[in-house]
Every structure is written in C-alpha cells, then in structure tokens.
Amino acid sequence: MSGPHKEITIYDIAEALSLSPATVSRGLKDHPAIRKDTRKRILDKAREMGYQQNMFASNLRRARTNTIGVIVPRLNSYFMSVVIAGMEKVANAAGYNLIISQSAESMKKEETNVRTLYNSRVDGLLVSVAYDSDSLSHFNLFLDKSIPLIFFDRVLDHPQCTSIVIDNYKAAYEVTTHLIRQGSTRIVHVTAQSKGAVYADRLRGYRQALRDNDLAFDESLVLAGNLSEQAGAEAARAILAMSPLPDGVFSANDSCAVSCLRALKQAGISIPGQIAVAGFNNDPVSKVVEPNLTTVNYPGEEMGELAASTLIRRLDRLEGASLNTIVLRHELVVRDSTLRKKP
C-alpha cells in the first residue's frame, strides 16, 4: 500500500478506471472529445484519490509555494477585513503571500474554494466557515496530506486543527445581563440560521442570562435570519408587530443591530427609552449610528495575526497541533443605545 504522501498521477487514475492515461488527461481538462459521463467518472476518481493538478513545473513538486490559502464567509465584512489585515502583516513578514477566497455563506462554494486552493498547492489553509458548513469532509484533501489547517472565528472541531475563537457564550451572557440590569425583561435575540457553534454559543449565553435572572425563555423572541442589514429591518418589523412590545434587542452582529435600531427609530420608538439595542463586533458603524451602539469588542486583527503565526510555526515545524483551541479576550463596550437614565 502506498504511503499517504505519495503524489497521485494520471497513470494511477487511469489504472483505477481501466482507461488510457491520454483519456484521463483529456477528461481532467474537460476535453469535449471525452463523453460527459466518462469525464465525471475521471473527475470523481481524481477527487477521491486526492489528485492535485500540477500548476507548477514538476521540479517544484516537493517545494514550498510560500502561499497560504484563506477562506472567509464574506469579504464585505469590516470584521473580516481587519482579520485579513492581521494575517497579511504576519504572513508577508515571514515571506508568505495570501490567496484569499470567499464562500459567500455557502458550503458548496466553500468546497470549491478548498479544491481550488489545494490545486494551487498552498502550504496551509486558514478558514472561517460558512453559515451552513457542518461537515469537515471537504477539508480531507488537506487533512489526509497533513497540510496545516487553522480555523478562526467560525470553527469546526478536529483533533488535527487549531481553532482561534472568543468565548461567544460568555460575551452573549454579558450583553444580555447588561440589558437586564438596564431594566429590560422582554429581550429579542436576532441571530443567524447557522449550523456552527458561534451563534449557538451566543444563543446559549443569552438563554443562561435570562435563566440566572429568573426570566422565562420565549422561543418567539428569537429571530433567525442571515444577520444582514435587510435582516435587521425585517427584525424591526417583526418586533413592532409583537404584543406586548419587547424592551430590549440583542443582535449577534452590528450591521444587523444598526439597521434594526434605525428602523425602530423611524417607527417612532425611543432608543433606549422604550427598547434598548445591543450588537456584537464593534464595527465602525456602531459609533456612527445615533444613539451609539452598545456592542462587544472583538480583537479581529489579533485573531488574524495569531491564525497566521500559528500556521507558519506549524509549517516551520516549530510546534505540532498541541493547542486545540485558543480563546482571545473580548470586552463589552457600553454606549448610549442601552443606557437608560436612572430615576
């Protein structure tokens, strides 16, 4: 049996499928002369065997490319841009370049990104997973070849991988407790329709804070969407239709919180008098909206720097996969959107 690091060639695929190497070569290049079903068989087998299309000269096959792949859910997120800036700073200083791709919150696109970066022969991979990503199987291309893989922010657990996170449960607990201390007893939680731990942990923190303050959890006060600006406006509409009216909102990100706050204000709701609103991430928009938004400061640049340096240390064999989870500090930033005047 061949070792796990043997380079798979078109000859191996040809032998496995009882086809000629020329047919396999054409099939991999999507040549029209090869029947569609045969092309599919060739591509499926190539994927299964871990074939890497060689984009470099064969004499570079064993060498480093000095590139690191990065997959993020969205590039148009302030938080992610700060994380990437942190990664770039560390990677460039160590002589690496980043190849950045986005999954657009789709596990299917994430799978394509993984294959593309694998075929580009990146030396390692830094990933924050899509909302609907709940399986590690598409990362096996990397894991099976012991190519280092680090998850950050939105993570999946695997013994071979380090995850870099904040304590989302504790942060959400602190936000909810703050709202309760400011007099809110009927608090809406706006969250994501996500299969990952980040938003589940924030929901758990919210629920535990209610429980610890003898407030009943009400499923109808949890609004799940995609946390976009549009989702914030939709949440506001749903809140305005509730009876009795909620007196607090905790949104799992800032852009959604700000959009919700604006829509509530436009409907004549006093913030924080009638409804106190808090977000998460400390995006610049939180300081622009009136009143300024209470939020959680999330050390994005530090997360990016740490993800890149952990990966590079792994590549330089300075450390193995000893640390499974690294938890960064967060901090509750209290502003006027939740501060009610004391009588």
Side-chain angles (χ1 to χ4, degrees):
M1 237 171 91
S2 63
H5 297 288
K6 178 185 178 291
E7 199 78 40
I8 300 295
T9 68
I10 60 168
Y11 299 98
D12 299 316
I13 300 165
E15 191 181 337
L17 293 172
S18 303
L19 294 170
S20 74
T23 301
V24 170
S25 177
R26 285 196 199 108
L28 290 168
K29 289 174 187 151
D30 234 7
H31 197 286
I34 309 298
R35 280 175 41 188
K36 206 170 176 184
D37 59 336
T38 307
R39 266 185 281 164
K40 187 181 181 322
R41 274 176 62 220
I42 292 166
L43 286 169
D44 288 349
K45 180 57 74 175
R47 232 167 255 161
E48 179 196 319
M49 294 174 78
Y51 173 72
Q52 272 179 305
Q53 282 163 306
N54 195 354
M55 296 187 177
F56 304 95
S58 56
N59 65 342
L60 291 178
R61 189 159 285 186
R62 297 278 166 216
R64 289 247 188 113
T65 60
N66 285 89
T67 54
I68 292 169
V70 181
I71 303 175
V72 296
R74 291 193 312 274
L75 282 167
N76 66 346
S77 135
Y78 172 77
F79 174 72
M80 278 302 163
S81 66
V82 173
V83 173
I84 289 168
M87 288 174 176
E88 192 123 47
K89 190 161 92 180
V90 169
N92 290 351
Y96 288 86
N97 287 311
L98 302 183
I99 301 178
I100 300 160
S101 57
Q102 68 169 344
S103 64
E105 299 293 9
S106 153
M107 181 167 154
K108 213 165 178 50
K109 180 125 194 292
E110 189 173 275
E111 287 170 2
T112 306
N113 292 341
V114 169
R115 275 200 304 278
T116 303
L117 291 167
Y118 178 77
N119 286 330
S120 300
R121 294 174 177 266
V122 294
D123 296 329
L125 193 57
L126 301 167
V127 183
S128 185
V129 298
Y131 279 149
D132 62 344
S133 199
D134 59 351
S135 157
L136 275 161
S137 58
H138 51 297
F139 294 106
N140 285 341
L141 280 173
F142 283 82
L143 297 171
D144 291 349
K145 288 210 167 189
S146 300
I147 300 169
L149 172 56
I150 308 278
F151 290 108
F152 64 94
D153 187 35
R154 294 200 214 149
V155 304
L156 296 170
D157 288 330
H158 189 280
Q160 255 174 275
C161 306
T162 296
S163 291
I164 300 171
V165 294
I166 65 160
D167 190 336
N168 284 287
Y169 166 82
K170 188 163 180 277
Y173 182 92
E174 288 167 9
V175 174
T176 311
T177 302
H178 165 72
L179 286 167
I180 294 165
R181 284 182 182 154
Q182 290 295 318
S184 296
T185 57
R186 193 167 148 76
I187 302 166
V188 167
H189 180 42
V190 186
T191 184
Q193 288 169 320
S194 167
K195 296 175 179 174
V198 168
Y199 299 103
D201 285 350
R202 290 179 196 174
L203 176 61
R204 269 197 320 116
Y206 158 81
R207 290 185 68 157
Q208 189 60 48
L210 294 177
R211 195 176 298 127
D212 289 353
N213 287 277
D214 301 319
L215 295 172
F217 170 71
D218 180 348
E219 191 79 56
S220 71
L221 295 181
V222 176
L223 306 177
N226 64 1
L227 290 178
S228 63
E229 284 183 35
Q230 190 187 339
E234 285 164 7
R237 276 198 293 278
I239 288 164
L240 291 165
M242 290 178 183
S243 182
L245 195 67
D247 53 12
V249 175
F250 164 36
S251 166
N253 80 9
D254 282 346
S255 57
C256 185
V258 165
S259 169
C260 180
L261 185 155
R262 281 184 178 138
L264 290 172
K265 269 177 68 180
Q266 278 164 3
I269 299 291
S270 156
I271 312 289
Q274 286 171 278
I275 302 180
V277 181
F280 206 108
N281 276 8
N282 202 19
D283 286 356
V285 69
S286 65
K287 294 195 280 278
V288 176
V289 70
E290 194 52 54
N292 285 189
L293 183 71
T294 291
T295 184
V296 173
N297 188 43
Y298 204 141
E301 190 167 9
E302 189 185 333
M303 183 173 273
E305 288 174 8
L306 193 58
S309 59
T310 305
L311 181 69
I312 290 163
R313 279 202 301 278
R314 191 80 49 81
L315 287 168
D316 293 341
R317 301 281 187 269
L318 294 177
E319 63 183 47
S322 51
L323 285 172
N324 209 237
T325 304
I326 300 170
V327 182
L328 296 179
R329 52 167 183 73
H330 65 270
E331 126 197 57
L332 177 65
V333 181
V334 176
R335 299 196 183 108
D336 288 344
S337 69
T338 57
L339 279 178
R340 293 189 169 118
K341 302 283 180 274
K342 293 280 183 271

